[in-house]
Amino acid sequence: MRFLKSMTALMLVLSFTFAFTACGDSAATTDTAAETSTVAPHGEGKEFTSAYVCPMHCDDSGSDKPGECPVCGMNYIAQAEHTDNGHKH
C-alpha cells in the first residue's frame, strides 16, 4: 500500500512538472525567422491606399475605379467612406 501511495505521488509530481514546463511562456522561446521578417504596418499597400478599397483588404486588391475585388468578390467601397473599422459613422 505504501508503494502505491509513493508511485501515485511521484506520478502527480511528474505530471504537474510536465504540465507547467510544457505550457510555459512562449515568449521565452523565440522564433528567429519571426525576428528577421518584416511586416508592412496596417494601412500601407494598394489594398489600403487606393481610391476604392475592398472592405476585407485582400492582398493586391484596390482600384482607382469602382468595381469588385478580384480575390473575394466583394464590392469596392470609396476610400473616403472607409473608416478604421470599415463602416461609416
Side-chain angles (χ1 to χ4, degrees), residues 25-82:
D25 185 17
S26 63
T29 59
T30 58
D31 183 11
T32 55
E35 291 176 5
T36 58
S37 66
T38 57
V39 176
H42 182 74
E44 290 184 7
K46 184 172 129 176
E47 60 270 16
F48 293 99
T49 59
S50 298
Y52 292 88
V53 295
C54 173
M56 299 298 292
H57 299 290
C58 297
D59 288 339
D60 296 324
S61 66
S63 175
D64 292 331
K65 301 174 187 171
E68 197 173 88
C69 175
V71 178
C72 69
M74 293 182 75
N75 289 329
Y76 285 141
I77 59 172
Q79 181 68 270
E81 296 179 12
H82 189 64

Side-chain angles (χ1 to χ4, degrees), residues 7-42:
M7 289 304 290
T8 304
L10 179 63
M11 293 302 285
L12 282 172
V13 169
L14 290 175
S15 297
F16 282 115
T17 302
F18 176 73
F20 285 113
T21 57
C23 299
D25 185 17
S26 63
T29 59
T30 58
D31 183 11
T32 55
E35 291 176 5
T36 58
S37 66
T38 57
V39 176
H42 182 74

